[in-house]
Amino acid sequence: MKQRPTDNCPICSTQEEKITEKIIPLIQRKKYPKNTLIFEQEGSSQGFYLIHKGTVRISKISPAGKEMLIEILGPGKTFGEAGLLGQEKNADSAATSEESEIYYIPKQDFQQILAQNPELYQSVVQSLIRWMDKLHLVIENISLSSAKDRVWSYLCRLQQEQNRPLIHLNGKKHEVAMMLGLRPETFSRTLSDLEAEGLIKMNHKQIQIVNRDQNTI
């Protein structure tokens, strides 16, 4: 059976067939070159996005003008959900980290489906809750005093999310470093220190946490 755009969508794939059949005709497939701005913070909220290929950086600009990388999203991840529930302006910015293919549904079109199918609201709200939890973790991680604590906390969270022996960084090292509020050289040095202490084993972007029961350093 041919895969449909909604099959990997955490919001759409959980719905009954009658709802997904309404959503599929609304989907627009968009291709973006590397480092393309999809939308900017405080810009008008336009719609709902699902990554099919590539990666997208979600970031915020602080009142002081400093960029804070919140997350690096890959295939199957969504963004832009807040606009579906009435948010008029984007709370953050989204830009591609590499050449990407993204499924897009205009805001008004999706809102019409929501109005006709109230049961879809629960999935949208749950997706927003997951996003807020992610933002809370990022802020909590940056508040940690040492680089080692930040990196270790990040790796433990990745292991929990990916649920496999070898975990993969969800972006390039300099992007992950930025997300943790660290310089790239500090992030690389901290990984080497953790490996020297026998807490992890590294193989390029693959990392194994040796002691799974180790929650703090």
Side-chain angles (χ1 to χ4, degrees):
M1 183 177 177
K2 186 177 179 180
Q3 190 178 50
R4 303 176 302 178
T6 55
D7 289 345
N8 291 325
C9 176
I11 292 177
C12 307
S13 62
T14 58
Q15 305 304 312
E16 295 181 7
E17 190 70 18
K18 65 177 184 179
I19 297 180
T20 57
E21 288 299 323
K22 293 178 182 178
I23 293 175
I24 289 175
L26 303 176
I27 295 175
Q28 301 175 18
R29 182 176 297 191
K30 294 178 174 287
K31 292 185 177 181
Y32 296 90
K34 180 180 178 180
N35 294 327
T36 299
L37 182 67
I38 300 172
F39 59 72
E40 61 182 341
Q41 186 174 327
E42 295 300 319
S44 177
S45 174
Q46 297 295 317
F48 171 72
Y49 303 80
L50 168 67
I51 302 172
H52 179 54
K53 296 178 182 177
T55 53
V56 172
R57 305 187 306 272
I58 305 297
S59 61
K60 294 180 74 70
I61 303 297
S62 71
K66 184 177 180 180
E67 182 182 13
M68 179 175 71
L69 184 60
I70 299 173
E71 184 60 289
I72 304 163
L73 304 176
K77 299 297 184 180
T78 61
F79 56 102
E81 295 93 331
L84 303 179
L85 299 181
Q87 181 175 283
E88 294 298 327
K89 293 185 177 181
N90 301 313
D92 38 45
S93 298
T96 57
S97 294
E98 58 186 324
E99 183 176 339
S100 301
E101 186 173 314
I102 297 173
Y103 296 132
Y104 165 75
I105 302 178
K107 180 177 178 178
Q108 290 184 340
D109 292 343
F110 206 111
Q111 285 179 330
Q112 288 181 359
I113 299 294
L114 283 172
Q116 297 166 4
N117 303 274
E119 61 269 38
L120 188 55
Y121 270 102
Q122 183 177 358
S123 294
V124 175
V125 171
Q126 287 176 343
S127 183
L128 276 175
I129 291 173
R130 288 194 295 269
W131 180 246
M132 292 303 295
D133 287 343
K134 180 81 68 174
L135 179 58
H136 174 75
L137 284 171
V138 171
I139 295 173
E140 184 180 75
N141 206 32
I142 290 178
S143 69
L144 294 173
S145 58
S146 74
K148 188 177 293 186
D149 286 340
R150 294 184 193 185
V151 175
W152 180 253
S153 178
Y154 165 75
L155 294 177
C156 289
R157 174 165 64 87
L158 270 191
Q159 185 185 48
Q160 185 177 11
E161 290 176 355
Q162 297 180 9
N163 192 29
R164 56 189 178 192
L166 289 176
I167 57 178
H168 298 257
L169 297 180
N170 57 352
K172 296 178 181 178
K173 283 188 176 181
H174 74 273
E175 293 175 325
V176 175
M178 183 178 178
M179 187 167 60
L180 298 177
L182 301 172
R183 293 182 177 182
E185 58 269 26
T186 302
F187 178 64
S188 295
R189 184 172 62 250
T190 303
L191 287 176
S192 297
D193 289 344
L194 291 173
E195 185 172 38
E197 293 175 20
L199 295 171
I200 64 172
K201 291 182 179 179
M202 292 191 297
N203 181 15
H204 300 292
K205 286 181 67 174
Q206 291 185 332
I207 298 175
Q208 179 185 3
I209 294 182
V210 178
N211 187 354
R212 293 189 179 188
D213 297 325
Q214 180 102 9
N215 293 318
T216 57
I217 303 177

